[in-house]
Amino acid sequence: MDALLLHPTTIGGKLFLMVIAIALFALVMALVLFLSQLPKRLPSWVTALIFLFPALGLVCFGLIYPALVTIKNSVFDETSTSFVGLANFGAILSDAEFLTTLRNTLAWVVLVPLLSTVIGLVYAVLVDRAKVEKFAKTLIFLPMAISMVGASIIWKFVYDNQVGVLSHLYVTVAGWFGDHEATAPQWLMNAPWNTFYLMVVMIWIQAGFAMTVLSASIKAIPDDIVEAGRLDGLTGVKLFRYVTVPMIRPALVVVMTTVAMTALKAFDIVRTMQGRLYHASVVANDFYTQSFNNHNKGVGAALAVLLFVIVVPVIAYNVSQLRKAEDIR
């Protein structure tokens, strides 16, 4: 019975498990609605507990329990039967390929938020109050409506060595300089530049998010502050540096940390465009490969724990900045 509920292997077993999950959800919701309609007046803390119970149950079942199991598996061997201590972490930190993965992940966390925010900010300033502002913002925001996998497929065509737009531009420019026999390189096969080409896809998507948030933040700057800056002799770049940037600093921090957290989970793009080839993998992709392709639960769980350790400081900083922004308001 336990194997049927926890590890269904057949389609019938999976459907049975899905029906049980739906039935439990319906039962909990019915219980909550029934208790909330009781004629007897309940203490406020009991009512709050009733409504918190489903959310707490889902958090415990879907987040806390898997996290504890993952941490436990990270100190066991590949079959989760023998305790190996920190050997899995030692294997990761001593393997050249895993170290390349960690360096790639660090590059994603640093470059993607920085470039996405800069591009979004420049774009927001340039199109602010322009005649075609709405149309221009729509163009850069459109990639946000595309899934990571869809965007990856689009950019695979762009980087294609034979028919890609980038390859065509490369050959054309080479022809202008007299090299009419030039052929485009294999963009996604040459490390470490292939990692940067993968980042371009994420930057293309996240620049629209950055532009939207920063544009709203710029428009929220009170006119009297801008006028005061102009009366002090600030114009152009100086007005932007000494008035606009300080006023939108909370939004800048939130955008950068949010994009950084998204970059840490850059699984879809790397998996769709590269897999684990050509030294362009990231931690999230290696976690999937080790856990589900190589069936090495120990190393896979250790990679997940490392990813968690990297994400936590970013989340904590993001939350602290959000609280500061709320205090200012």
Side-chain angles (χ1 to χ4, degrees):
M1 190 63 181
D2 289 344
L4 179 62
L5 292 178
L6 297 178
H7 305 288
T9 55
T10 63
I11 295 177
K14 294 176 181 177
L15 288 174
F16 178 68
L17 182 60
M18 183 182 70
V19 170
I20 289 180
I22 294 174
L24 284 175
F25 177 76
L27 181 64
V28 171
M29 293 307 299
L31 181 63
V32 170
L33 292 175
F34 171 75
L35 293 174
S36 64
Q37 297 298 322
L38 285 177
K40 184 180 178 181
R41 195 173 185 83
L42 296 173
S44 58
W45 66 270
V46 175
T47 306
L49 192 63
I50 290 172
F51 282 97
L52 278 175
F53 176 73
L56 289 175
L58 289 174
V59 168
C60 292
F61 181 74
L63 185 63
I64 296 178
Y65 174 70
L68 294 176
V69 172
T70 302
I71 293 173
K72 173 251 178 184
N73 287 340
S74 69
V75 293
F76 277 75
D77 67 351
E78 60 185 16
T79 58
S80 301
T81 54
S82 300
F83 180 76
V84 296
L86 299 177
N88 292 323
F89 296 95
I92 292 172
L93 298 176
S94 60
D95 185 276
E97 195 166 356
F98 281 129
L99 290 178
T100 301
T101 296
L102 291 176
R103 281 196 293 269
N104 290 341
T105 304
L106 179 63
W108 276 80
V109 175
V110 173
L111 293 178
V112 171
L114 186 63
L115 295 177
S116 299
T117 305
V118 169
I119 293 172
L121 177 59
V122 171
Y123 201 84
V125 172
L126 290 179
V127 303
D128 186 39
R129 294 184 176 85
K131 290 183 179 179
V132 292
E133 179 182 355
K134 292 182 179 177
F135 177 72
K137 286 182 175 178
T138 302
L139 285 181
I140 195 171
F141 189 75
L142 272 178
M144 284 289 294
I146 304 173
S147 68
M148 294 281 190
V149 175
S152 303
I153 293 173
I154 292 172
W155 279 88
K156 279 192 81 171
F157 284 112
V158 172
Y159 291 138
D160 188 277
N161 179 250
Q162 298 296 323
V163 298
V165 174
L166 186 61
S167 300
H168 180 71
L169 287 174
Y170 179 88
V171 173
T172 301
V173 172
W176 291 346
F177 288 93
D179 187 2
H180 299 288
E181 302 296 329
T183 56
Q186 297 285 351
W187 303 103
L188 299 178
M189 294 184 182
N190 300 318
W193 291 106
N194 52 359
T195 297
F196 179 75
Y197 298 141
L198 297 181
M199 290 181 199
V200 170
V201 183
M202 180 72 84
I203 294 169
W204 180 62
I205 296 173
Q206 295 299 324
F209 164 72
M211 181 273 301
T212 303
V213 176
L214 297 177
S215 177
S217 185
I218 291 172
K219 288 182 181 298
I221 299 175
D223 291 337
D224 54 345
I225 293 179
V226 178
E227 289 300 323
R230 286 176 177 156
L231 289 175
D232 287 338
L234 299 177
T235 57
V237 176
K238 288 186 177 180
L239 184 66
F240 175 77
R241 177 181 176 185
Y242 294 109
V243 175
T244 304
V245 172
M247 292 298 296
I248 65 171
R249 181 182 174 279
L252 282 170
V253 173
V254 169
V255 168
M256 290 193 70
T257 51
T258 303
V259 177
M261 287 186 285
T262 305
L264 277 170
K265 297 176 287 186
F267 168 79
D268 315 58
I269 294 173
V270 177
R271 192 74 187 177
T272 304
M273 298 183 72
Q274 285 286 58
R276 203 167 182 257
L277 303 174
Y278 313 117
H279 309 292
S281 187
V282 292
V283 171
N285 186 54
D286 270 15
F287 157 67
Y288 179 89
T289 302
Q290 293 296 330
S291 299
F292 301 105
N293 290 352
N294 299 342
H295 303 290
N296 191 339
K297 294 181 180 178
V299 173
L303 285 165
V305 172
L306 278 179
L307 186 62
F308 177 73
V309 170
I310 297 172
V311 168
V312 165
V314 180
I315 294 176
Y317 185 69
N318 194 0
V319 171
S320 69
Q321 292 301 314
L322 284 173
R323 286 180 176 173
K324 287 181 180 178
E326 290 178 356
D327 291 341
I328 292 174
R329 290 173 189 167

